[in-house]
Amino acid sequence: MKSITTYKRNWFLFLFILLTLSSEISAVAFRGRLFSRVKNQGEAGLTVVIVTPTSKIPAQTDAEGYFDAEVPSLGNYTFRILRTTGIQELEKSITADGEVVTIYTDKTPKPKGGIDVEGQKDKTILSRYKVRYDEIKRMPGTLGEALNALQTLPGVFAPPPFAGNNGGCFGGIVIRGADCRTNTYLYDDLPIYYAYHFDGINSVIHNDLIKTIDIYTGAYPANFNNATGGVVEIESNEAAKKATGSFNMSFLLGQAMYQTPLFNGKGYLAAGGKVGYLDKTLGSTGLVPDGIRLPQYNSSNVKFIYNFNSQHQMSFTSLTALDGFVLKAPGGFGSNDPTKEPLAAVAGASVSAGQGYRTMALRYTWTPSTKFSNRITLINYEPFNNTNVQFGSIQATFRASAPYTGVRQDLVWNPASFLKIDAGTEGRVINYNITGFSVRLKDPNNQSPNPYDLTNPAFEKADITQQTKSNYFNAYTTFHFTFGNFKFEPGIRHDYIDYGKQGATGPRATISYKVDGFLKGTTFFGGAGDYARFPYFDQAISRESGNPNIQFEKARKYGGGIDQQITEEWSVKGELFKQEFTSQIVNDPYISEAYGLNPDKYQRLQRPVVTNRALNYSNSGTGWSHGYELYIKKANRPNSKDWFGWISYTWSQSFRNNNIYNADYDPNKNRILSGDEQRLRALYPNSRETIFDYDITQLLSVVYGWRLTEEYQIGGRWFYRTATPYTPVIGDDGGQFKNPYNNQIYWNPRYSTNPYSTDYTNSRRQAPYHRFDIRIDKFLSYEWGYVNLYLEIINMYVRKNINGESFSTTAPYSKRNPEPQNDFFTLQLPSGMLIPFFNVGMEVRF
Amino acid sequence: MFFKITLIFIFLFQISCANKNEKSYQDLYALRILLETATKAKPNPVATCQSGMIAMQNCAATAPEFSSFTLTETIFIGSITFNKFLTYSDYCNETVKNDPYRTMSDSLKECYLKCDFSYWETRKKLNICNVSYKTMFEGSFSDSGTSNCRRSCVLPTNNTP
């Protein structure tokens, strides 16, 4: 006991030391541009020194006159421009984090009606967190994936695979208690279907092509759409001073990147790719059961930019990803002991599944003056899923895709010094296609179908080929009013789907006020808005098997808080939030239209029309989440040897209610009702509000990174979270079926149907999840570049984190079945010894 | 009756308003279900059972077992219940209280019994009542139309018109 106490105390001491090693600070990142009005172009190759009260920050302009820098806080700064002819000093205010500031280096009488400068969209302070690539690239516990670092920010976590009651959330993140499927991921404002490959570890974007990542966890601006959760906005590089490349190999995957300036600096090309080979590395260790081929995947990102001149720019972007997984379980036993065969429950099964997407975009940007810019993007996007299953009498082979082609326009205009306007429109032709066969129960009243019965199968193949076409339009505008330290940003957007004649209008606004005087400045902010999401790639919208009247899912988000700059480097941000979810799409066995075409294609000849045609899905679901967040950050200067880190803490609650009638809870459930009576009864839902699948009460992350010397860098990350809720197994069905491939009896788990029972849906949690990860980097510098060798140790103190329960269908319910499901990051050797998960890798940069 | 008519008019008015205001499909669905319920007569499974028995008798009258004499209610019910019942009324009152109808609601009982009625009526219309009563009676359990009809009774969606 004493040793455990000492052990824990040592860890706390270590964390404390990590956090207090330094007291230097910084905070506001911005992009500047030196622009000559005389030449009507950016000033390239100049050194700019930003003079702060305590330091001088140097920066270099690129071919277009841009430079990136960080200042300690928002405010007025002197920009010292070093020229061969002498020094020029100019004053300019930095008013927002992430702002693009244009500094005019000369004065030319403006033509009448001419306009002043300014770059791109203002970014809100409310519910937005920004991470720089250099801060997250080498973050421990991310397995080299910059995107994984999002999980250290307030209100954000990645649920364990298979958690929840809807098949899990592979590679998704949960933001402030919203469903992980309701986020939007954007790469340079272009859609990506999913952020992570099948393994849930590696992202679909090459690390070195990421410049910054902004995550909007609450009320987000009007230019983003289709998210009732959050928005992840990844920005890529737009220029390179010289040709560079990198090659990175680790246990999990290989990735390569090359970027180069073209056409004397007028053009830029970047290409990156990844190939996962877990099937070749981990798959060849013998630790994976025969018959399982671990996920194979690849992804690519290509970007080409050409600047005709300072006013006209064209760019082309291509993003692809493809993931596949295969399982072919042997038909018999190797060990003659079904309970020791890992695939005994699914013997004879054959499954192959895949998903992918392709995004291609051609973009033209017109910047006739520094006060106006307009962007037109032609987008072709196709997400798809492939499913191929054969298991007993269950057979399904189909491909589903939801391609669209669209044109989008976004403009930014500065009509006055106190006002900036963003506005945009978009039109898309969208499709929802399924080709192939699925499986369906022969008798819908059969509560316990036997999947193994091949003589009189309980399931049959059903042709589900279908095509649903529609047009989609949207328009948005945001006004950014700035009066001194006061900012007011009202916005509105409207989305319209002509397929179901559904529209959603979303007004929103944020307000902020900065008070100077206390430390380095205090900003008060708040905002609210209505947000909508339409499930374009979902069976719910299908004319054939879904509900063509389905409406947008909606969320109303509120938030407010304080951002305090303590010193130039330290800042604290606290925020309260609430989200109300309405019109959530749920499976609804009662909703129907008065009559319609028989959904069963095989029966259409005999019975072409049915009454009360099932729509299967409705917008009955509701829910809410609320909580508060605290974010303490210590920043450093990019590429400095200073340390950086942050602590983020979130307390939240999230609940859901499907608002569906469930006969199991009906006090008169023993009375069999007619269809008419059931429909009437279903108008009065009796489902209970339950804790949401991905509800976690407490979430704490501590992040630390320090470049010790030219040769070494270390980083540490500790995080703690409440376990996700789960529904306990309370028994089995008595083992009614037998798998003919191996004569294995199949025990179906049983769950509580009593909403007032302590065993009901999501009523239990395992012990909290916490772990400590470290990463050590060694850099070997050469004339042509450098080699970065790294070792990452995940779960240093070998905690046996438990994700939930695992019920083996090859054995009856007992004290040992179900058993706790351990986390992936604890490895157990055959001797029973536990070791931490580790990753070694090498990056070559030239 | 006055209350019911008033209720129907209220629902019709609401549906009309809902359509004009582009109300949610869920509200329209709820109004439709309420309207259907309000316009439906109170279920009377005993009366439906009696109608079914009459239809059964009409068809069975041409079956070889009964074709040699005039088939009356008393003879028919007496012969198929071994003289336990002598009227359809008594038989039906007892039948709807016992299995398989015991746990069913009146509405479901009526629907099931209508399926039986329909079976016998259809046979009569198609003029296929001249086979043995036993065959026809057993056929009522295996007939796909009757099975579909019964399934439709209990399903909340995709019903047979």
Side-chain angles (χ1 to χ4, degrees):
Chain A
M1 192 62 176
K2 189 186 172 189
S3 66
I4 293 170
T5 316
T6 313
Y7 178 69
K8 281 185 178 171
R9 198 166 52 216
N10 286 343
W11 277 115
F12 283 121
L13 189 64
F14 179 66
L15 285 171
F16 180 72
I17 291 167
L18 283 180
L19 290 169
T20 53
L21 270 172
S22 170
S23 61
E24 283 193 59
I25 327 294
S26 105
V28 182
F30 71 99
R31 165 164 268 214
R33 189 184 193 195
L34 298 185
F35 192 86
S36 165
R37 285 176 170 133
V38 177
K39 298 175 193 163
N40 194 30
Q41 65 181 44
E43 298 221 57
L46 288 180
T47 301
V48 188
V49 177
I50 304 143
V51 183
T52 72
T54 54
S55 63
K56 294 182 178 63
I57 302 160
Q60 190 81 18
T61 60
D62 65 13
E64 292 297 316
Y66 286 103
F67 63 92
D68 292 308
E70 280 208 338
V71 288
S73 60
L74 303 177
N76 215 36
Y77 288 94
T78 302
F79 292 79
R80 197 171 284 166
I81 304 164
L82 311 181
R83 299 172 186 275
T84 47
T85 51
I87 296 172
Q88 181 185 11
E89 285 196 350
L90 296 164
E91 296 276 324
K92 190 76 186 174
S93 289
I94 311 294
T95 55
D97 189 11
E99 188 179 9
V100 178
V101 180
T102 305
I103 302 158
Y104 297 105
T105 55
D106 46 28
K107 286 184 181 173
T108 301
K110 280 187 287 182
K112 205 172 181 185
I115 24 188
D116 231 326
V117 187
E118 220 96 303
Q120 299 158 5
K121 288 183 207 80
D122 274 347
K123 292 194 173 178
T124 177
I125 189 172
L126 174 74
S127 307
R128 180 178 68 88
Y129 297 94
K130 186 188 192 87
V131 283
R132 283 196 332 252
Y133 172 59
D134 64 295
E135 285 178 332
I136 56 178
K137 184 183 177 185
R138 297 191 172 86
M139 181 178 287
T142 59
L143 295 164
E145 277 300 332
L147 213 53
N148 283 338
L150 291 178
Q151 296 163 29
T152 64
L153 295 173
V156 183
F157 85 101
F162 304 114
N165 298 311
N166 289 312
C169 202
F170 270 103
I173 53 173
V174 174
I175 300 175
R176 287 186 173 175
D179 194 309
C180 50
R181 285 168 279 259
T182 60
N183 303 321
T184 285
Y185 297 91
L186 297 168
Y187 181 80
D188 284 340
D189 263 343
L190 300 172
I192 51 178
Y193 178 34
Y194 50 91
Y196 297 93
H197 286 293
F198 257 179
D199 56 14
I201 298 167
N202 291 297
S203 78
V204 295
I205 302 294
H206 193 288
N207 264 352
D208 291 334
L209 297 178
I210 295 173
K211 185 170 69 180
T212 56
I213 305 173
D214 283 276
I215 183 164
Y216 297 82
T217 56
Y220 57 81
N223 54 307
F224 299 120
N225 72 335
N226 217 38
T228 47
V231 175
V232 176
E233 183 195 19
I234 303 163
E235 285 185 12
S236 70
N237 299 323
E238 293 197 331
K241 286 176 190 161
K242 58 174 188 170
T244 56
S246 68
F247 180 67
N248 190 331
M249 278 187 79
S250 74
F251 187 62
L252 308 168
L253 84 165
Q255 51 182 319
M257 180 283 292
Y258 181 72
Q259 59 179 352
T260 181
L262 294 170
F263 311 114
N264 296 321
K266 281 190 159 186
Y268 167 70
L269 175 70
K274 286 186 181 186
V275 178
Y277 40 68
L278 212 54
D279 58 318
K280 304 280 187 307
T281 50
L282 189 60
S284 60
T285 59
L287 294 169
V288 181
D290 285 346
I292 291 183
R293 195 199 73 195
L294 287 169
Q296 281 186 343
Y297 54 78
N298 61 70
S299 50
S300 72
N301 323 127
V302 177
K303 184 174 178 179
F304 171 75
I305 295 178
Y306 185 76
N307 295 291
F308 293 95
N309 53 40
S310 62
Q311 291 189 1
H312 304 281
Q313 184 193 72
M314 288 290 287
S315 68
F316 171 78
T317 308
S318 163
L319 309 166
T320 64
L322 185 65
D323 284 62
F325 165 81
V326 172
L327 180 148
K328 192 163 173 51
F333 291 136
S335 62
N336 292 324
D337 182 353
T339 59
K340 286 183 180 166
E341 289 287 336
L343 299 177
V346 290
S350 162
V351 178
S352 69
Q355 62 176 2
Y357 69 87
R358 175 180 52 77
T359 307
M360 297 181 90
L362 189 64
R363 178 172 282 166
Y364 165 65
T365 310
W366 178 48
T367 316
S369 78
T370 47
K371 272 196 165 181
F372 181 87
S373 100
N374 193 22
R375 197 177 75 179
I376 296 172
T377 314
L378 178 67
I379 307 171
N380 180 260
Y381 171 61
E382 181 175 9
F384 58 86
N385 286 323
N386 293 322
T387 307
N388 203 324
V389 178
Q390 188 159 0
F391 181 41
S393 62
I394 299 173
Q395 287 182 42
T397 308
F398 62 89
R399 175 190 166 90
S401 66
Y404 78 71
T405 301
V407 179
R408 173 180 174 159
Q409 166 270 322
D410 303 85
L411 70 84
V412 183
W413 180 36
N414 275 63
S417 59
F418 62 89
L419 174 64
K420 184 187 273 188
I421 300 170
D422 304 337
T425 52
E426 186 178 9
R428 295 179 192 168
V429 178
I430 61 173
N431 287 282
Y432 175 61
N433 305 326
I434 300 182
T435 319
F437 293 87
S438 185
V439 67
R440 101 176 136 209
L441 261 177
K442 269 186 168 174
D443 177 3
N445 296 322
N446 185 354
Q447 299 289 324
S448 304
N450 179 359
Y452 304 115
D453 188 352
L454 297 174
T455 23
N456 185 21
F459 297 91
E460 62 186 3
K461 271 175 97 173
D463 181 1
I464 53 165
T465 300
Q466 55 180 279
Q467 185 173 39
T468 301
K469 265 194 166 183
S470 180
N471 295 315
Y472 161 74
F473 305 97
N474 73 53
Y476 72 87
T477 186
T478 306
F479 292 81
H480 304 267
F481 295 99
T482 309
F483 305 103
N485 287 347
F486 177 75
K487 266 191 161 188
F488 176 52
E489 298 168 297
I492 190 162
R493 76 170 292 126
H494 183 76
D495 295 88
Y496 179 77
I497 286 278
D498 79 346
Y499 160 60
K501 308 287 177 223
Q502 306 291 341
T505 303
R508 59 203 68 178
T510 57
I511 193 166
S512 68
Y513 183 69
K514 188 183 174 196
V515 181
D516 296 317
F518 180 65
L519 298 173
K520 295 286 177 184
T522 312
T523 308
F524 297 89
F525 56 87
D530 283 341
Y531 298 87
R533 173 183 175 268
F534 193 78
Y536 300 98
F537 193 14
D538 196 315
Q539 188 164 286
I541 67 163
S542 162
R543 276 188 211 282
E544 292 279 340
S545 49
N547 182 350
N549 302 312
I550 210 83
Q551 295 176 329
F552 283 79
E553 290 189 316
K554 291 185 177 156
R556 178 163 289 174
K557 295 167 183 260
Y558 317 88
I562 305 171
D563 184 34
Q564 175 67 56
Q565 283 297 137
I566 301 169
T567 66
E568 290 171 353
E569 292 177 335
W570 286 87
S571 63
V572 179
K573 187 175 179 181
E575 199 169 325
L576 288 165
F577 68 87
K578 175 155 192 184
Q579 308 190 107
E580 292 163 357
F581 304 105
T582 52
S583 289
Q584 303 297 296
I585 295 168
V586 295
N587 288 313
D588 189 333
Y590 301 102
I591 190 83
S592 63
E593 53 191 348
Y595 57 88
L597 204 60
N598 194 334
D600 186 342
K601 288 181 179 174
Y602 297 107
Q603 288 194 21
R604 274 190 193 159
L605 204 59
Q606 284 177 305
R607 284 199 303 153
V609 174
V610 293
T611 56
N612 300 302
R613 186 185 193 272
L615 295 172
N616 300 318
Y617 299 88
S618 72
N619 290 87
S620 298
T622 54
W624 57 273
S625 69
H626 69 185
Y628 61 87
E629 297 165 352
L630 190 65
Y631 185 54
I632 304 169
K633 185 175 183 183
K634 193 266 175 192
N636 68 348
R637 286 185 296 280
N639 305 317
S640 71
K641 288 205 185 91
D642 193 9
W643 72 276
F644 70 90
W646 58 82
I647 299 173
S648 70
Y649 173 75
T650 309
W651 180 92
S652 66
Q653 287 183 318
S654 187
F655 286 82
R656 292 293 184 280
N657 191 343
N658 281 354
N659 294 302
I660 294 290
Y661 167 73
N662 191 329
D664 286 334
Y665 323 149
D666 196 321
N668 301 314
K669 67 178 178 184
N670 294 328
R671 194 165 182 77
I672 306 169
L673 302 178
S674 69
D676 295 343
E677 289 170 313
Q678 289 177 55
R679 285 191 294 274
L680 180 65
R681 194 67 67 92
L683 295 183
Y684 304 95
N686 60 354
S687 60
R688 190 182 148 199
E689 185 173 81
T690 55
I691 294 172
F692 181 45
D693 294 353
Y694 305 119
D695 169 84
I696 49 163
T697 318
Q698 317 224 32
L699 176 65
L700 175 64
S701 283
V702 181
V703 172
Y704 178 85
W706 188 18
R707 182 77 182 254
L708 292 164
T709 64
E710 286 296 327
E711 284 190 332
Y712 287 99
Q713 174 168 326
I714 60 160
R717 181 176 81 148
W718 181 76
F719 75 97
Y720 170 101
R721 66 168 167 78
T722 317
T724 48
Y726 71 96
T727 309
V729 178
I730 57 166
D732 60 55
D733 66 346
Q736 295 180 26
F737 311 124
K738 200 181 254 190
N739 187 343
Y741 287 102
N742 56 0
N743 284 325
Q744 171 64 54
I745 295 173
Y746 186 86
W747 276 272
N748 253 321
R750 222 161 39 78
Y751 300 94
S752 169
T753 55
N754 177 3
Y756 302 101
S757 146
T758 51
D759 294 326
Y760 192 58
T761 307
N762 291 343
S763 57
R764 302 276 178 88
R765 291 181 201 266
Q766 298 286 358
Y769 184 108
H770 55 92
R771 69 169 210 240
F772 178 62
D773 311 326
I774 64 162
R775 173 168 162 146
I776 302 164
D777 287 88
K778 181 174 171 59
F779 300 91
L780 304 168
S781 298
Y782 299 95
E783 282 179 9
W784 46 265
Y786 68 82
V787 175
N788 173 201
L789 303 168
Y790 58 89
L791 167 69
E792 202 170 4
I793 303 171
I794 297 172
N795 197 6
M796 274 287 286
Y797 52 82
V798 204
R799 178 177 165 81
K800 274 186 98 170
N801 284 306
I802 296 166
N803 284 335
E805 278 190 345
S806 168
F807 181 83
S808 170
T809 53
T810 59
Y813 173 77
S814 68
K815 271 189 176 176
R816 290 189 161 201
N817 189 26
E819 60 179 6
Q821 175 75 50
N822 286 326
D823 176 42
F824 180 64
F825 293 115
T826 310
L827 300 178
Q828 189 158 15
L829 297 178
S831 62
M833 186 187 165
L834 294 174
I835 58 165
F837 187 93
F838 61 91
N839 180 38
V840 287
M842 179 179 75
E843 180 197 11
V844 180
R845 183 97 190 196
F846 52 88
Chain B
M1 192 61 182
F2 173 74
F3 173 73
K4 220 169 189 179
I5 291 169
T6 314
L7 202 63
I8 290 165
F9 273 106
I10 289 171
F11 287 149
L12 283 171
F13 178 70
Q14 282 199 16
I15 287 178
S16 148
C17 291
N19 269 323
K20 269 184 195 161
N21 296 331
E22 293 180 353
K23 218 172 181 180
S24 150
Y25 68 95
Q26 285 175 282
D27 294 340
L28 289 170
Y29 166 75
L31 285 170
R32 172 168 67 85
I33 299 303
L34 289 171
L35 190 60
E36 277 174 11
T37 309
T39 50
K40 208 159 238 174
K42 196 181 172 195
N44 189 343
V46 174
T48 313
C49 171
Q50 286 174 338
S51 306
M53 291 308 295
I54 292 165
M56 190 195 284
Q57 180 194 323
N58 290 340
C59 184
T62 52
E65 297 96 318
F66 303 112
S67 59
S68 55
F69 52 91
T70 308
L71 192 62
T72 62
E73 176 180 349
T74 315
I75 295 170
F76 181 60
I77 194 69
S79 62
I80 63 172
T81 63
F82 305 103
N83 290 326
K84 192 177 171 189
F85 299 103
L86 295 174
T87 65
Y88 291 152
S89 172
D90 290 348
Y91 169 76
C92 288
N93 272 309
E94 197 59 28
T95 298
V96 297
K97 287 181 200 160
N98 296 317
D99 285 337
Y101 298 101
R102 194 168 50 84
T103 54
M104 293 180 190
S105 67
D106 280 354
S107 173
L108 184 58
K109 284 174 193 174
E110 185 187 71
C111 188
Y112 264 48
L113 290 162
K114 273 183 181 167
C115 295
D116 289 343
F117 170 79
S118 178
Y119 171 76
W120 292 107
E121 278 281 300
T122 308
R123 284 199 85 94
K124 184 77 184 162
K125 272 185 197 160
L126 296 175
N127 210 14
I128 46 170
C129 292
N130 51 357
V131 289
S132 79
Y133 168 75
K134 192 176 171 236
T135 309
M136 290 194 289
F137 182 71
E138 284 171 357
S140 71
F141 297 102
S142 57
D143 176 60
S144 65
T146 311
S147 301
N148 278 334
C149 176
R150 284 183 183 146
R151 188 191 288 183
S152 184
C153 286
V154 81
L155 287 177
T157 57
N158 296 335
N159 306 108
T160 309

